[in-house]
Amino acid sequence: MNALREMSEASAPRAPALLEVDDLAVHFHVPGSGWKERKRVLRAVDGVSFGVAERETLGIVGESGCGKSTLARALLRLVPATSGHLHYAGRDLLALDAKSLRPLRREMQIIFQDPLAALDPRMTVGQIIGEPLRALRPELPRAERHARVLAMMQRVGLLPNQVNRYAHEFSGGQAQRIGIARALAVEPRLLVCDEPVSSLDVSIKSQVINLLQELKAERALTLVFIAHDLASVRHIAQRVLVLYLGRVVEIASRDAIFARPMHPYTRMLFAAAPIPDPDAARRMRDAPVRGEIPSPFNPPSGCAFRTRCAFAVERCSAERPLLRDLSGGQVACHRAEELLDQARVPV
Amino acid sequence: MPVLEVRNLSVRFATVSGGTVSAVNDISLSVERGEVLGIVGESGSGKSQTWLGVMGLLARNGRAEGSARFDGRELLGLSHGALNELRGARMGMIFQDPMTALNPFLSVGRQMTEVLQRHRGMDRRAAERECIAALEMVHITDAPRRLAMHPHEFSGGMRQRVMIAMTMLTRPDLLICDEPTTFLDVTVQRQILALLDELRQRFNTAIVFITHDLGVIAEIADRVIVMYGGRVMEQADVHTLFADYRHPYTEGLLRSVPRPDVTSHGKLATIAGNPPDLAHLPAGCPFAPRCVYREPRCETQMPELLDVGPAHWRACHHVGALGKLETAA
Amino acid sequence: MSGAPRREWFNWYPGRSAAARARALAESEAVRGRSLWQDAWARLRRNRAAMVSLVVLGIITVGCIVLPWVWPYSYAQPDWNLLDHGPTLAGMHWFGTDGLGRDLFVRVLYGCRISLMVGVVATLVTLLIGVTWGAIAGYVGGWLDGLMMRTVDVLYSVPFIPFVIVLIVLFGRNIFLMFAAIGAVSWLDIARIVRGQTLSLKQKEFIEAARAGGVGNASIIRRHIVPNLIGIVIVYVTLTIPTIILFEAFLSFLGLGVQAPMTSLGGLVSDGANVLQSYPYQLIIPSIFLAVIVYCFNFIGDGLRDALDPKDR
């Protein structure tokens, strides 16, 4: 019954997405290292397509070097996209010039992985949180801006009397609260979270995750939640997108992807996540995990994952698998059907 | 006899302004041959400083007091030369970032053979053969060619493998791993953990594994010590600790992390407040300010580490049952 | 002040139970933060060499500005009865007189004034050009960066000393020309330093955060890049001033300095060197002042570098 509803949800045309990413690519030109070498092209994000519905939380997971941080920045046009399309609420973001982009900046904000590095050490908390308001809502009088900063501080769990303190006087968890306050001060609809909890202490992580969830509910936010930590993605996301070497290998609803991951890479990634329970952890010990992510400068031909894949066949090196609908989600693997039949056991 | 026996170890740092900061307070523990002792803690728990203190690797303004006996021999107060000899030959340490321990200007082979030439008096040929064997032991393929490469030519996971191979060259009795997988991806982490476990079984090496990640602890440790604010909060074997924890801080840690194998809904349980500021530690239990079971005496009196079961200790005044922490639905 | 509130937030958590306490705290007066500058100043104050240097330099600066007004002699007024008279307390010739009977004390004061002025003004010129050039090259990047930094490379290859000498020979001994000449050449170092710093600042996440917050490029340079450059620039400035003072002394020693009867420390040293065998005090006294000033700046620069180094925190 549940599965049926899922199927129909996925196959029916979904509600118009708030953010629509279509064949997005971000390539960097990196100077060669030796004197003979030419400029090399780093395909950090290479032909990525997905949508994020209003009020949804989309989790993006992948290993380091898979392009997830670049993708986050490209969504906000903090790094220029090489090709593709990016639509926010129906407007083509990539076609806008810097000036017409500005009003849209109010709608989409970002929080960063290293919360202290994301705060200017020479500014007070009040200046930091007030900065986007100042730039994006210049019509607001000073007093009003100040009041909003204080209200925002209180909301994220900072004391308003800390408004004149400097970033370096705060711990990592508090600094991340400042980052969240800054992002939400302009009342955005979309919040991109680039590994917001991965550099925080264990006991602080859950505080910040709870805060993000509360704020999401309160302000009807749409979240793009990027992480390499599967557990927090499983907790917070409704849909999960798996990236490998700049490409999407699988997208599915949280429940579907964790119950039966379709792509061999997704399986490997899930199997490798350490489980905080010795009995379960020791059962998982023998799950095969092979190799390391190859250099993004020369990704393998065909399917980029084939070099580490236990199921790779000849076709995988010859032909790049396209992302296609399967069993309620989307997957980019030639053998997905076979594998799906083969292993119905939840990982 | 344990490989390492630490008694009443304290580590203090002199600050620029003339004060002292206590990073580790009065810790006692022992490590047995062939076991993996997991040390869990957050920033400011003293989990790394304990071991740097034992190894004589503290920053210049740091001082370790107490006793640390390695194979019956007192380490604290040992001369630089004698410590260096022991560290190279019988104790090894692996760090979070292998680049801090590898010289970027020398080939991996050169750095590895040097260890053998110095500590085992081998000639170069024999040393090289041994190094190739060591790289193969950590599952690095094409080892002879890899020996000529420099550290930056390896990926993060490979570098950590090289580091492990290098440390294992002298077959140490004790291997201290300070968050060796924190910078690595989960897939690579899994491989490194498997490798460490394999080496332990093969050489009966005692491993101390320092981490903040409870998942990693569950996977690799035999016994676990939970640290907070420079003190031991709880100590037990890994199954007991996860199933039958008795300390509020352990409860908080275990209850607040989401699990990758179970879907949780609603709010996560949390430990309120922030990690301790070592310069302003409370007089009593360091965890008291964040503890939901706090009693008046917790703020003035540090509870002793007492046993609550076979090989299970905790430092807490609270007598009743746990389970008061706000829980996920 | 900083201890108590720290422990307060330690206990505090935005839960229901703490709400009342939070409200009470919220209504209390805002706590003043300690900026990095205040931290740096606190560290600098513990550096004895730097603090002594700061005091000595302060005394010399105030002295060479104020004292000439109240001194009974002027720097140009000869006393034909007292030629080459040694230091004496009688008649207020504390440092003696020179070969024309001019009071050496007041001349040393003027020498300090000119040397400090040349040092400070030329450094400001350096700063203005260097910081602007480096920050723009670093922030904008791309071909403009390439063009601007290659220009710097070209200027580096200009032989500096002959260049200044030619300028002075062509345009006469003009003190402003000297400022300009020295400044125009020594901005190259600072441009390089500032560019390097800007490049690394540009990568920082707080700059990305500002861009996401809709802050324009000019504002980012003004509000984020420049304030974060100030630390390194201040250190560089305190180390540049003495180099320029020494360079001015060198030019004056060659006779290319300020126009007589005005003088600088270099000029006085040069004059004194001519009569070294008969009247050594005429060389020794200005030399001591020159050395002390240069020393002081170097100590302050080193102290600032340590105080501003974030690794020390």
Side-chain angles (χ1 to χ4, degrees):
Chain A
M1 176 69 201
N2 222 334
L4 240 167
R5 206 177 64 217
E6 238 170 61
M7 296 276 279
S8 61
E9 242 175 42
S11 46
R14 296 188 312 128
L18 182 66
L19 185 72
E20 192 74 60
V21 181
D22 184 20
D23 203 21
L24 188 73
V26 182
H27 297 174
F28 295 111
H29 294 266
V30 181
S33 50
W35 58 275
K36 290 191 293 199
E37 272 181 60
R38 303 209 170 170
K39 266 194 181 175
R40 298 186 295 173
V41 180
L42 175 72
R43 298 166 189 274
V45 174
D46 203 17
V48 166
S49 305
F50 62 91
V52 190
E54 178 110 48
R55 305 198 58 171
E56 183 188 32
T57 300
L58 174 73
I60 299 184
V61 294
E63 290 170 279
S64 54
C66 73
K68 49 191 195 297
S69 284
T70 307
L71 178 60
R73 284 156 176 76
L75 295 182
L76 296 177
R77 272 195 53 180
L78 292 174
V79 295
T82 311
S83 64
H85 298 280
L86 193 56
H87 287 271
Y88 173 83
R91 295 186 64 183
D92 187 353
L93 278 184
L94 298 183
L96 298 176
D97 59 18
K99 210 178 148 197
S100 30
L101 184 65
R102 230 165 214 235
L104 278 178
R105 288 236 179 267
R106 247 166 74 181
E107 308 253 318
M108 38 210 302
Q109 284 292 316
I110 181 168
I111 56 179
F112 296 93
Q113 173 171 16
D114 182 347
L116 277 166
L119 307 178
D120 188 332
R122 307 273 167 201
M123 283 188 165
T124 63
V125 173
Q127 288 170 323
I128 289 170
I129 299 175
E131 183 166 55
L133 274 177
R134 210 179 123 111
L136 298 171
R137 304 285 304 273
E139 77 283 359
L140 285 182
R142 237 181 111 94
E144 167 72 15
R145 195 167 72 218
H146 190 66
R148 286 191 181 208
V149 167
L150 291 183
M152 207 56 234
M153 284 179 73
Q154 196 143 29
R155 180 59 200 94
V156 298
L158 295 162
L159 293 180
N161 66 5
Q162 292 168 348
V163 67
N164 290 329
R165 287 190 172 264
Y166 290 84
H168 65 101
E169 299 176 277
F170 292 87
S171 67
Q174 290 171 318
Q176 194 56 285
R177 290 174 194 267
I178 299 173
I180 294 172
R182 165 176 59 193
L184 296 185
V186 288
E187 293 166 350
R189 286 161 77 191
L190 174 72
L191 183 64
V192 176
C193 311
D194 183 16
E195 307 228 13
V197 294
S198 50
S199 67
L200 301 180
D201 268 314
V202 184
S203 72
I204 302 302
K205 261 184 202 177
S206 54
Q207 293 178 7
V208 171
I209 291 179
N210 282 350
L211 177 66
L212 280 172
Q213 281 193 306
E214 283 165 25
L215 289 166
K216 175 191 183 279
E218 246 172 63
R219 301 178 170 234
L221 288 173
T222 304
L223 293 187
V224 174
F225 188 94
I226 294 171
H228 62 252
D229 163 26
L230 283 173
S232 52
V233 168
R234 182 164 197 170
H235 177 74
I236 203 170
Q238 282 134 27
R239 272 196 316 142
V240 178
L241 182 157
V242 185
L243 271 184
Y244 189 76
L245 278 181
R247 295 184 159 273
V248 179
V249 297
E250 184 165 356
I251 309 179
S253 75
R254 181 247 322 257
D255 297 331
I257 204 168
F258 280 100
R260 39 190 160 72
M262 292 188 282
H263 198 281
Y265 175 63
T266 314
R267 287 187 185 186
M268 188 169 108
L269 195 64
F270 288 7
I275 302 169
D277 171 355
D279 300 320
R282 270 150 233 239
R283 274 201 305 279
M284 295 300 303
R285 240 182 195 170
D286 303 321
V289 172
R290 308 205 302 186
E292 291 184 32
I293 196 165
S295 158
F297 283 107
N298 54 35
S301 66
C303 173
F305 183 62
R306 71 178 162 82
T307 49
R308 300 167 74 187
C309 183
F311 309 99
V313 290
E314 246 170 71
R315 187 179 169 205
C316 300
S317 55
E319 188 189 331
R320 174 183 291 164
L322 297 174
L323 195 65
R324 60 206 165 86
D325 290 340
L326 182 69
S327 176
Q330 286 178 297
V331 62
C333 174
H334 293 310
R335 302 188 63 195
E337 286 90 349
E338 294 168 59
L339 298 175
L340 203 60
D341 294 338
Q342 195 187 84
R344 282 280 177 187
V345 219
V347 177
Chain B
M1 193 179 72
V3 184
L4 182 78
E5 185 131 38
V6 173
R7 288 273 159 267
N8 308 100
L9 180 81
S10 293
V11 174
R12 289 180 226 292
F13 291 91
T15 60
V16 200
S17 46
T20 53
V21 167
S22 306
V24 177
N25 278 307
D26 197 23
I27 278 189
S28 300
L29 55 87
S30 63
V31 191
E32 302 285 339
R33 238 167 259 282
E35 75 164 345
V36 178
L37 173 64
I39 310 281
V40 215
E42 300 175 85
S43 51
S45 64
K47 61 184 191 298
S48 296
Q49 298 303 338
T50 306
W51 300 96
L52 293 174
V54 167
M55 296 284 272
L57 293 172
L58 289 175
R60 211 176 295 162
N61 59 341
R63 241 168 65 92
E65 288 154 20
S67 153
R69 287 180 171 273
F70 175 77
D71 215 4
R73 197 165 160 201
E74 180 58 52
L75 292 177
L76 301 187
L78 215 56
S79 76
H80 247 314
L83 254 181
N84 261 337
E85 185 59 36
L86 265 181
R87 272 201 301 256
R90 302 197 53 200
M91 309 189 287
M93 192 154 183
I94 297 169
F95 299 91
Q96 199 172 59
D97 180 4
M99 280 312 264
T100 54
L102 291 168
N103 182 337
F105 298 105
L106 295 181
S107 74
V108 160
R110 175 86 188 280
Q111 298 182 52
M112 288 180 73
T113 49
E114 222 173 62
V115 174
L116 285 174
Q117 285 170 314
R118 191 172 34 181
H119 288 291
R120 303 246 302 257
M122 284 184 162
D123 68 73
R124 240 193 95 195
R125 275 277 181 72
E128 232 158 62
R129 269 200 307 275
E130 188 83 24
C131 291
I132 291 173
L135 287 184
E136 279 164 357
M137 177 180 80
V138 297
H139 310 299
I140 290 181
T141 51
D142 203 6
R145 199 176 56 85
R146 303 276 189 171
L147 273 188
M149 286 166 59
H150 287 73
H152 68 92
E153 294 174 88
F154 290 88
S155 70
M158 284 301 224
R159 249 177 243 154
Q160 205 55 285
R161 280 174 196 270
V162 168
M163 211 40 239
I164 293 172
M166 198 162 144
T167 317
M168 289 303 291
L169 279 174
T170 55
R171 302 279 178 272
D173 300 303
L174 176 65
L175 183 62
I176 295 170
C177 308
D178 188 358
E179 307 231 13
T181 58
T182 303
F183 286 167
L184 303 176
D185 283 309
V186 284
T187 53
V188 182
Q189 167 172 286
R190 167 58 59 83
Q191 298 167 28
I192 297 285
L193 293 181
L195 172 65
L196 285 172
D197 197 52
E198 184 190 324
L199 294 177
R200 170 186 67 140
Q201 285 178 13
R202 205 162 139 193
F203 302 110
N204 204 29
T205 315
I207 296 182
V208 172
F209 200 99
I210 306 166
T211 181
H212 65 271
D213 188 334
L214 289 158
V216 171
I217 285 286
E219 203 154 298
I220 193 167
D222 300 317
R223 264 188 326 128
V224 187
I225 289 179
V226 180
M227 288 185 72
Y228 189 85
R231 293 188 186 267
V232 174
M233 297 283 110
E234 186 163 9
Q235 178 176 338
D237 80 88
V238 69
H239 295 279
T240 313
L241 188 93
F242 279 80
D244 187 24
Y245 48 80
R246 295 294 178 82
H247 196 285
Y249 177 59
T250 316
E251 178 191 36
L253 282 183
L254 286 172
R255 300 291 296 282
S256 64
V257 290
R259 288 175 58 147
D261 58 336
V262 179
T263 305
S264 46
H265 299 275
K267 278 181 128 185
L268 293 168
T270 56
I271 304 177
N274 290 300
D277 176 357
L278 291 180
H280 299 107
L281 277 181
C285 173
F287 186 61
R290 303 175 70 184
C291 184
V292 283
Y293 307 97
R294 182 178 54 225
E295 297 164 18
R297 64 175 162 163
C298 297
E299 285 166 21
T300 52
Q301 190 192 345
M302 177 63 205
E304 274 178 80
L305 194 66
L306 297 173
D307 60 329
V308 286
H312 187 176
W313 294 266
R314 67 153 193 183
C316 182
H317 290 307
H318 178 69
V319 272
L322 299 179
K324 224 170 106 182
L325 204 67
E326 248 180 89
T327 55
Chain C
M1 179 212 93
S2 67
R6 225 179 250 271
R7 240 162 301 165
E8 283 295 351
W9 357 311
F10 190 90
N11 289 336
W12 182 79
Y13 175 72
R16 274 156 230 92
S17 58
R21 199 151 115 251
R23 212 172 306 120
L25 262 170
E27 281 154 16
S28 71
E29 209 177 317
V31 185
R32 285 212 60 78
R34 270 166 76 83
S35 73
L36 291 180
W37 298 120
Q38 287 164 305
D39 276 359
W41 173 238
R43 275 195 296 272
L44 186 65
R45 270 214 311 239
R46 283 197 291 272
N47 184 331
R48 202 169 293 158
M51 288 321 285
V52 169
S53 301
L54 213 55
V55 170
V56 170
L57 206 58
I59 292 172
I60 292 179
T61 312
V62 171
C64 73
I65 292 170
V66 173
L67 283 181
W69 287 346
V70 297
W71 206 247
Y73 309 103
S74 92
Y75 69 96
Q77 174 192 48
D79 181 347
W80 302 109
N81 298 320
L82 275 175
L83 302 183
D84 290 328
H85 193 284
T88 167
L89 287 178
M92 297 291 277
H93 290 302
W94 290 0
F95 290 174
T97 60
D98 67 2
L100 294 173
R102 295 176 295 197
D103 179 51
L104 199 57
F105 184 77
V106 80
R107 286 183 67 75
V108 167
L109 289 178
Y110 270 95
C112 289
R113 222 192 233 193
I114 295 292
S115 288
L116 285 173
M117 201 158 82
V118 171
V120 170
V121 175
T123 303
L124 287 180
V125 173
T126 299
L127 213 60
L128 196 72
I129 308 176
V131 171
T132 318
W133 197 273
I136 291 175
Y139 187 76
V140 177
W143 64 268
L144 187 70
D145 178 34
L147 183 74
M148 288 173 88
M149 293 328 282
R150 291 304 77 74
T151 313
V152 167
D153 292 342
V154 169
L155 289 178
Y156 255 119
S157 60
V158 172
F160 179 33
I161 293 166
F163 168 72
V164 172
I165 294 174
V166 167
L167 274 182
I168 289 166
V169 170
L170 281 180
F171 297 105
R173 285 154 69 176
N174 178 330
I175 194 164
F176 290 101
L177 187 70
M178 209 150 81
F179 292 153
I182 296 177
V185 186
S186 35
W187 64 268
L188 302 173
D189 290 326
I190 199 146
R192 279 192 172 172
I193 292 172
V194 166
R195 171 182 172 268
Q197 284 290 311
T198 310
L199 278 180
S200 76
L201 279 175
K202 201 169 70 166
Q203 308 291 325
K204 291 267 162 72
E205 285 182 340
F206 66 81
I207 300 289
E208 273 187 327
R211 291 208 291 137
V215 183
N217 281 337
S219 296
I220 286 180
I221 293 189
R222 192 164 41 80
R223 286 170 60 89
H224 295 287
I225 304 270
V226 171
N228 280 288
L229 286 172
I230 287 174
I232 192 155
V233 166
I234 287 184
V235 172
Y236 183 78
V237 161
T238 46
L239 297 174
T240 305
I241 293 175
T243 335
I244 289 180
I245 289 177
L246 282 178
F247 185 68
E248 186 278 333
F250 169 71
L251 285 181
S252 297
F253 195 83
L254 293 181
L256 297 169
V258 288
Q259 188 82 45
M262 183 48 84
T263 190
S264 71
L265 286 176
L268 289 171
V269 169
S270 166
D271 294 346
N274 292 332
V275 293
L276 169 63
Q277 304 220 306
S278 13
Y279 312 109
Y281 68 91
Q282 290 188 23
L283 172 66
I284 291 169
I285 291 172
S287 301
I288 289 174
F289 273 82
L290 184 61
V292 165
I293 289 175
V294 171
Y295 255 125
C296 286
F297 273 114
N298 282 329
F299 276 135
I300 295 170
D302 279 349
L304 279 171
R305 180 159 43 200
D306 294 344
L308 290 165
D309 188 358
K311 264 175 257 156
D312 196 36
R313 257 203 304 282

